[in-house]
Amino acid sequence: MIYGLFDHYTSKSPSQYETHCFGDCSGCVCFNAMKKDIPSQDETFCQIALLFLMTQETEHCISSLIGMIYPEGKPSWEEIEKLDKNPLGQLINKLKERADMNDKFIRLLTVFLEGRNIFVHNLYRQEWFDTNTEEGRDAIWNFLDTYGKILWEVNHIAKAAIFKHTESIGMPETEYDKKMKETGYLDLIKSYYSKADFAFKRRNQ
């Protein structure tokens, strides 16, 4: 078993992903397309770069979310900045301390963390990682497709929770919000509100 728990997901065919993802992944347009041809080396590197940036954004979203789900009073900026510097595993543990989370969402976070650690720290060390051959790139994309789906879900659930919180406290609309409305991306985030509600709730103190 190369992937540990993550191997349970990477061994599935694309048609089976939705069975194991947190809810319906039909909105994951970026990751649903079946690849007819094995991508080139340049395309593979571009996808790795895209997922790396999205991974960083997701970690930032989780740290911001923890700052909002606070047990006692409003968090200081110093606390939020400190959270943003913590490793992802510590952030997830902190999130578990501050919120009551659905078991299915906890499993999603666990699988995401395992996939993220492979992706960020050990991707090039995997025995199947070879960008020079079609067989190697096919194996890489099998991993990237699976990790990308899970990353997409965690990213958008966290964003949905953040945006819903800002709406609930009456935070004024920003230029960033306006741009998101213009592109239609804000509607996509709002479509994840029900998943965010199901994933966790602020713990009553």
Side-chain angles (χ1 to χ4, degrees):
M1 296 274 285
I2 298 174
Y3 308 105
L5 178 60
F6 200 69
D7 184 56
H8 176 69
Y9 287 78
T10 55
S11 64
K12 302 298 179 182
S13 65
S15 63
Q16 293 174 292
Y17 288 143
E18 292 186 8
T19 303
H20 299 283
C21 278
F22 181 76
D24 177 21
C25 294
S26 58
C28 308
V29 178
C30 295
F31 302 108
N32 270 343
M34 293 283 290
K35 58 180 187 297
K36 297 179 180 179
D37 300 310
I38 296 176
S40 67
Q41 188 177 61
D42 286 345
E43 290 172 327
T44 301
F45 285 138
C46 284
Q47 183 70 352
I48 290 173
L50 173 66
L51 293 182
F52 183 76
L53 291 174
M54 192 173 182
T55 297
Q56 289 185 326
E57 180 191 41
T58 301
E59 293 184 21
H60 177 73
C61 285
I62 292 175
S63 67
S64 298
L65 182 59
I66 295 170
M68 294 177 181
I69 308 177
Y70 42 88
E72 296 178 1
K74 186 176 180 179
S76 64
W77 281 111
E78 289 76 15
E79 179 188 4
I80 295 176
E81 289 175 356
K82 184 178 180 181
L83 284 169
D84 202 32
K85 296 177 182 178
N86 284 344
L88 182 59
Q90 291 183 22
L91 290 177
I92 290 177
N93 287 333
K94 180 66 71 174
L95 186 59
K96 290 179 181 178
E97 292 176 5
R98 295 195 177 191
D100 292 317
M101 295 193 292
N102 177 272
D103 288 342
K104 194 172 183 181
F105 184 61
I106 292 176
R107 176 166 174 79
L108 179 69
L109 286 176
T110 300
V111 177
F112 165 60
L113 179 59
E114 292 192 12
R116 178 264 182 199
N117 287 341
I118 293 173
F119 179 73
V120 172
H121 299 298
N122 295 300
L123 183 59
Y124 80 99
R125 298 178 63 184
Q126 302 303 308
E127 61 183 30
W128 39 261
F129 187 87
D130 181 2
T131 62
N132 296 308
T133 66
E134 287 194 348
E135 181 181 5
R137 292 196 299 276
D138 188 44
I140 292 171
W141 275 83
N142 284 338
F143 175 87
L144 296 180
D145 284 346
T146 303
Y147 176 65
K149 286 177 180 290
I150 297 170
L151 173 63
W152 175 277
E153 284 293 284
V154 173
N155 179 286
H156 285 79
I157 290 171
K159 283 180 181 175
I162 291 172
F163 273 84
K164 190 169 184 180
H165 174 76
T166 59
E167 286 182 351
S168 69
I169 62 176
M171 185 175 291
E173 186 177 62
T174 65
E175 288 299 319
Y176 178 67
D177 295 334
K178 293 178 181 178
K179 289 181 180 179
M180 292 181 66
K181 277 187 176 179
E182 292 174 0
T183 62
Y185 188 59
L186 186 58
D187 290 334
L188 174 62
I189 292 177
K190 288 185 176 182
S191 72
Y192 274 80
Y193 277 10
S194 60
K195 291 185 179 182
D197 289 338
F198 185 67
F200 54 83
K201 59 183 178 180
R202 176 176 168 176
R203 180 170 295 154
N204 293 325
Q205 297 297 314

